[in-house]
C-alpha cells in the first residue's frame, strides 16, 4: 500500500472532486491508503494531522495556493508542509494553484505555488525540489493524478519537464488530438460556442496550440474535452494562468499575436497564405442540421 496525505491550502476543492469523478477510482484506490484526505475515509483526523501525528507518508499531495501566514485550523500551513514534506518520499502539487499560484494568487500578496509564483522559481521549499512533481490543471485531470501516483507506486522513473511536469502527460499540447485540427490547418474559425465546426484559434482565443496537457489525448472522464465540446482552451496548465480577455485572439495586423508552440512566424505566414487560397466547401457545411 502507498500512503497518501492530502493537504489543502487556499483551494476550491475542484481537484478533490475531479478525482472522485475518475471512472476508475474504485479500482485505483485499492492500491492506496489515505492517511488524510478532506473528503475520503482516512486513518487520521485533521486534528491529528495538525498535531503532526500522521506517520509513514509516502506521497504528500499539496492542493491549493500557498499563502504566507495562512493558518490551517491552529497550525501555520507552511509548518505543516515542512513537517510532512520532510517525511514524504514524493511531493505532488495537485492543480495549478499548488503549482504556480493559479487563480487564488490573483487575490492577495504573499501567495504562490510550492516552487513557483507564475513562472518565477521560488526558494522557500528548495530542499523539496528534487522529490516534487507538478501536476497543474484547473482542475488537474483525474487520470493524470491517478496515473502519476500509480507510476510512483511502481517506482517507475518519470521524465519531467523544466517545470517538473511529467512528460507522459505534459509533453503534448491540448491541440494534439483535437477534432478541429482540419479547420486549424485551413485557418477556419467561424465558430459559435458549442458547435462542432471550426477551430477557435483565430478569433476565439483558443490556447490549445501552446498549452501543455493531455486533454484531447486522455478525454475527461472518458467523454470529452473543452475544445471537443466547443469551448476554447484557457491554458489552465501553464504558469501564466489565469489570463485576461479570454475568448478573443489578440492580433497584430490580423495575424494571431502568439504563434503555435515552436512555429516560426514566417512558417506560419507561408502556410496560411497557401491554405487560404483554397476554399474547401465541406469545412463550411454544418456537420449536423441546426434546428
Ligand atoms: S480549437 Fe484549439 S485545440 Fe482545437 S484545433 Fe483549434 S487551436 Fe487546436
Ligand atoms: S482544455 Fe485547456 S483549459 Fe481546459 S482543462 Fe485542458 S488545458 Fe485546461
Amino acid at each position: 500500500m502507498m500512503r497518501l496525505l492530502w493537504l489543502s491550502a487556499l483551494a476550491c476543492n475542484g481537484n478533490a472532486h475531479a478525482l472522485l469523478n475518475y471512472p476508475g477510482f474504485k479500482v485505483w484506490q485499492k492500491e492506496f491508503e489515505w492517511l488524510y484526505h478532506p473528503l475520503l475515509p482516512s486513518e487520521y483526523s485533521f486534528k491529528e494531522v495538525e498535531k503532526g501525528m500522521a506517520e509513514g507518508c509516502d506521497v504528500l499531495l499539496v492542493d491549493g495556493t500557498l499563502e504566507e501566514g495562512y493558518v490551517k485550523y491552529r497550525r501555520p500551513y507552511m509548518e505543516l508542509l515542512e513537517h510532512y514534506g520532510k517525511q514524504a518520499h514524493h511531493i505532488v502539487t495537485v492543480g495549478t494553484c499548488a503549482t504556480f499560484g493559479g487563480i487564488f494568487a490573483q487575490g492577495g500578496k504573499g501567495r504562490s505555488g510550492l516552487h513557483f509564483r507564475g513562472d518565477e522559481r521560488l526558494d522557500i521549499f528548495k530542499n523539496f525540489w528534487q522529490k516534487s512533481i507538478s501536476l497543474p490543471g484547473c482542475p488537474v485531470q483525474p487520470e493524470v493524478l491517478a496515473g502519476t501516483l500509480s507510476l510512483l507506486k511502481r517506482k517507475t522513473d518519470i521524465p519531467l519537464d523544466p517545470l517538473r511536469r511529467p512528460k507522459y502527460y505534459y509533453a503534448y499540447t491540448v491541440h494534439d488530438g483535437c477534432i478541429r485540427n482540419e479547420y486549424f490547418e485551413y485557418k477556419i474559425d467561424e465558430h459559435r460556442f458549442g458547435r462542432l465546426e471550426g477551430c477557435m484559434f483565430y478569433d476565439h482565443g483558443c490556447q490549445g496550440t501552446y498549452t501543455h496537457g493531455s486533454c484531447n489525448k486522455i478525454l475527461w472522464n472518458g467523454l470529452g474535452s473543452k475544445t471537443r465540446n466547443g469551448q476554447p482552451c484557457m491554458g489552465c496548465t501553464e504558469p501564466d494562468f489565469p489570463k485576461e480577455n479570454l475568448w478573443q485572439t489578440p492580433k497584430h495586423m490580423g495575424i494571431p499575436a502568439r504563434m503555435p508552440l515552436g512555429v516560426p512566424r514566417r512558417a506560419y505566414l507561408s502556410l496560411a497564405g497557401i491554405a487560404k487560397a483554397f476554399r474547401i466547401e465541406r469545412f463550411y457545411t454544418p456537420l449536423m442540421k441546426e434546428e
Side-chain angles (χ1 to χ4, degrees), residues 18 76 84 100 124 138 161 166 180 213 219 253:
Y84 289 110
F100 303 122
I124 174 162
C138 189
D161 74 8
R180 297 165 192 272
L219 299 182
M253 300 180 69

Side-chain angles (χ1 to χ4, degrees), residues 68-82:
E68 285 164 21
Y70 174 61
V71 176
K72 179 103 184 159
Y73 193 49
R74 287 175 305 198
R75 192 152 172 204
Y77 185 79
M78 300 300 198
E79 254 182 56
L80 279 174
L81 273 186
E82 189 70 38

Side-chain angles (χ1 to χ4, degrees), residues 174-176 178-184 198-202 206-209 216 227-228 231-233:
V174 170
H175 180 68
D176 293 328
C178 178
I179 53 172
R180 297 165 192 272
N181 267 290
E182 276 189 320
Y183 298 92
F184 175 83
C199 164
M200 298 169 275
F201 175 72
Y202 301 101
C206 182
Q207 298 176 33
T209 58
N216 278 311
T227 65
R228 288 191 179 211
Q231 186 187 316
C233 168

